[in-house]
Amino acid sequence: MASSHTGLEFDVLADHLALMLAQEDLVSIEKVIRDMSPSDLVDVLEREDPDDRAIIYRLLPREVAVEVFERFSPGMRADLLTGLRDEHVVGVFEHLDPDDRVSLVDELPATVSAKLFSGLSEKERALTAPILGYPSGTIGRHMSTEYVRLRPGMTPREAFDHVRASGDGAETVYLLMVTDDHRRLEGVVGMRDLIFALDGDSADGDSRDDDPAAEPITVRDLMKSPESVTASEDAEKAARRAVRTTHLVTPVVDEENRLIGILTVDDANRIIDRADEEDAARAGASEPLDRPYLITSVTTLVRSRIVWLLVLALSAILTVQVLEMFEDALATVVTLSLFIPLLTGTAGNTGSQAATTVTRALAVGEVRLRDTWKVAWREVRVGLTMGVLLGMIGAVVAGLVYGMDFGLIIGLTLVSICTIAATVGGIMPMVARAIKADPAVFSTPFISTFCDASGLIVYFLIAKAVLGI
Amino acid sequence: MASSHTGLEFDVLADHLALMLAQEDLVSIEKVIRDMSPSDLVDVLEREDPDDRAIIYRLLPREVAVEVFERFSPGMRADLLTGLRDEHVVGVFEHLDPDDRVSLVDELPATVSAKLFSGLSEKERALTAPILGYPSGTIGRHMSTEYVRLRPGMTPREAFDHVRASGDGAETVYLLMVTDDHRRLEGVVGMRDLIFALDGDSADGDSRDDDPAAEPITVRDLMKSPESVTASEDAEKAARRAVRTTHLVTPVVDEENRLIGILTVDDANRIIDRADEEDAARAGASEPLDRPYLITSVTTLVRSRIVWLLVLALSAILTVQVLEMFEDALATVVTLSLFIPLLTGTAGNTGSQAATTVTRALAVGEVRLRDTWKVAWREVRVGLTMGVLLGMIGAVVAGLVYGMDFGLIIGLTLVSICTIAATVGGIMPMVARAIKADPAVFSTPFISTFCDASGLIVYFLIAKAVLGI
């Protein structure tokens, strides 16, 4: 029974495959990959270059191929399709879930995707169309249109038989949607509740007229009130809410509460993962990558970072200008320049601490826009407390080494910049959210630059006052 | 049908509740919360102070109370329990899932949890014991011990009946574990496959001797090879692998492949969420919070940040020492000090770009330790490319404003520090992983400090060479 690999086994396997690829020994490769789990296959394929990946992929049995494909990132899917022969591509495309099909469209050139769609069967095209109707960025774009619908009046047995008769292609049969005659969502029923509500003695076949005496249990009695999302909602927000319900599936409805699809918990997780990855990348001043790091070209890596780096370097010219303003003070007391990196670094760290915390709280919905003043007031107090603690230490250390004057300057500056940096760091993500920008973009890097400049001004003003220059 | 709230409705609701709490109008509160979904209740309760939270919580019906409790963070669970009366606490504790019960133990004082355990029923204590046997940090600590086991020889009907008879308290009946006589895991069967394999005409009752002529389908035929995790494995790693399988449930086995529990996808997600939150917090130089931001006290916020800030400030003393080494140069050419924040800032940004990307790649398993040299070589090239681009711009701008010499100094310094910073930023998370530290800890803040110091040395060495001082 192929359990998942440990790190070491995996390394051996990867080396082994590389050798077989070099020798073009397709028979051996096929033998090795036949025993691998889809997770391991994804791990291996993510590390191969595009040509080798296409070779290995073509050797996979159809069902495994589709499962592996669905686990790839959008960028890798597009790469792979361009590496496969036409008949392979059409086969994979037909067997994808409708929502995965749609997300591919966003990656492929329009001509390619148009060709792929024209090759789709009638049925699959009908399932894909509603998803394409929603703009990318909405949750409608990620929903599945293959679900099982029940009526509230059905008995558990009727419902169970209906699932067995119609649920074959459904994304899931574990949470069933209950709608009225106008397709309006009334509730959801777990397969588990349905199973335990089945009467023990009736056959699987037609049993509609059984038991006319006792009041029969119906789907309505088993039904729970659904926590649904609206198709036009922002994908990340809706996905986070769906995951928080801890249900396997969340119904997707239109503005009139009509059921139009379902969102599975693993699709929701994929959306959140992607959003978190974006946030993490932007907090680190780069754009998220579409493909695994090791197979991303150096050019693409540079492109994901250089714009940010340039913008930040240009905004850092502000610090040069601030220092120019105080060039005289620097010339008079050279010692002042020694503390520049320490002070700007501390300001930057304090700012990004606050920004990281508030950005996260915004993302998971713990903090809302109306809380802006609450956040500001908390950060003022947090910054001031940390500034006082740090300032006292700084004053003593700097005082001992560079004299009383410098102790005073460093102490006062640390108190001020910690307070300013924490407050600005806390508010900036809220401002970003208010102007509908990505809070993560506004966090760490920009805040650092801002804190650098304002920290320097405070530093030199205090220094000039204390030293009387 | 209570669908989930929009932002605005939520604000109105929160204000409304605050008013009713102030008036101690429990009847109205009960009426309002009765119509709210568990998600909304969690959102509301997370924003109340501990006393009000306990008041509202006590008004919830039992089933809803347990569901809401399970969605709280560990810290909030502990808070809430201390705010409830004893008889409430015992009730909640008895109805929790065994794994949630164990995670509470880590939060509560030992005397409190001992008392709670002594109040547990025999059955629940037996379910909890195996989980407590694994150290915290392992996946065994998060597994559920309530699952349904099948034998490979069962017919679909027998298996289905077994689930109905024994699956009542199980965490899930949607993925069923198949074991041999020695409890060794042989495979898993989806409830879906079981349902579709049921023969249409046999009764739900005893049917073991039906159809002796035809070769009957058994669980063995429906069984898939499981992707399992080992109970002693690191929780985050195992959870990531479990989620990647896209299965609802992952079997947890011991070293001898004996089944001892299951890991549900939502428990796996909670582990990953928590790990990502930790990474994000540490990359922003603070410790993750146990409770939502707005109800975390200022003192706790300070405590989550101050140690980091202190350590970083102390390590920044390195930069003061570096600058002291070059005090003469600074005194001779004051203009040199103007570029200090710009250069250290750029080095810090370049370093954290690389660190963020590699930390993420390590966390999701795209990069392994054996790839260290590959990573270093990629980052050398990325850093050099960005350095050359930025250096050319810097040389021209600085050259025009401050003269040829400064153009040359700034240009050369940018090329060098970008290359160094990207390389160090890429390697540091690998080093952290190698010495079994958290890569996120080593990323942004420490790398900034290191880049600051080494960048300054490079800068002054180049400046002294070019200016001949």
Side-chain angles (χ1 to χ4, degrees), chain B residues 251-285:
Chain B
V252 181
V253 295
D254 66 10
E255 310 289 341
E256 275 84 44
N257 198 34
R258 275 188 303 258
L259 183 69
I260 50 175
I262 58 174
L263 178 68
T264 60
V265 71
D266 51 292
D267 282 337
N269 276 321
R270 224 175 295 165
I271 296 166
I272 295 173
D273 262 9
R274 186 76 194 145
D276 283 346
E277 214 174 311
E278 259 178 47
D279 282 3
R282 293 201 175 126

Side-chain angles (χ1 to χ4, degrees), chain B residues 253-419:
Chain B
V253 295
D254 66 10
E255 310 289 341
E256 275 84 44
N257 198 34
R258 275 188 303 258
L259 183 69
I260 50 175
I262 58 174
L263 178 68
T264 60
V265 71
D266 51 292
D267 282 337
N269 276 321
R270 224 175 295 165
I271 296 166
I272 295 173
D273 262 9
R274 186 76 194 145
D276 283 346
E277 214 174 311
E278 259 178 47
D279 282 3
R282 293 201 175 126
S286 58
E287 285 301 302
L289 302 174
D290 245 4
R291 294 160 180 80
Y293 172 77
L294 282 183
I295 59 161
T296 303
S297 70
V298 170
T299 323
T300 309
L301 284 175
V302 170
R303 224 179 293 137
S304 76
R305 301 181 191 173
I306 188 73
V307 176
W308 275 92
L309 205 58
L310 256 173
V311 170
L312 292 170
L314 289 178
S315 66
I317 291 182
L318 192 63
T319 61
V320 180
Q321 289 172 320
V322 168
L323 288 175
E324 265 185 342
M325 281 164 43
F326 298 104
E327 209 171 347
D328 291 346
L330 277 169
T332 320
V333 189
V334 180
T335 315
L336 282 176
S337 62
L338 303 185
F339 301 99
I340 293 176
L342 184 137
L343 293 173
T344 55
T346 303
N349 288 329
T350 313
S352 71
Q353 285 180 327
T356 309
T357 311
V358 174
T359 301
R360 175 81 195 174
L362 268 174
V364 300
E366 283 170 16
V367 163
R368 285 148 199 273
L369 266 188
R370 71 194 310 244
D371 301 317
T372 307
W373 295 116
K374 266 193 223 166
V375 170
W377 177 228
R378 318 199 102 214
E379 290 300 334
V380 167
R381 287 177 291 162
V382 173
L384 189 63
T385 313
M386 296 201 297
V388 169
L389 289 170
L390 224 58
M392 288 193 305
I393 299 171
V396 171
V397 174
L400 288 174
V401 181
Y402 302 93
M404 274 281 284
D405 281 354
F406 272 92
L408 191 59
I409 296 170
I410 299 301
L412 287 177
T413 306
L414 282 171
V415 175
S416 319
I417 62 175
C418 284
T419 312

Side-chain angles (χ1 to χ4, degrees), chain A residues 41-91:
Chain A
L41 283 166
V42 171
D43 274 0
V44 165
L45 287 169
E46 276 184 354
R47 301 165 61 92
E48 300 294 341
D49 67 52
D51 292 341
D52 288 347
R53 197 186 306 141
I55 292 174
I56 299 178
Y57 188 81
R58 274 203 296 266
L59 296 174
L60 294 175
R62 162 65 52 82
E63 333 71 87
V64 180
V66 171
E67 199 176 340
V68 165
F69 192 83
E70 283 176 349
R71 296 191 196 185
F72 283 150
S73 67
M76 281 197 55
R77 292 179 184 174
D79 287 353
L80 187 60
L81 282 193
T82 49
L84 293 177
R85 288 200 208 90
D86 271 7
E87 68 273 21
H88 256 95
V89 174
V90 171

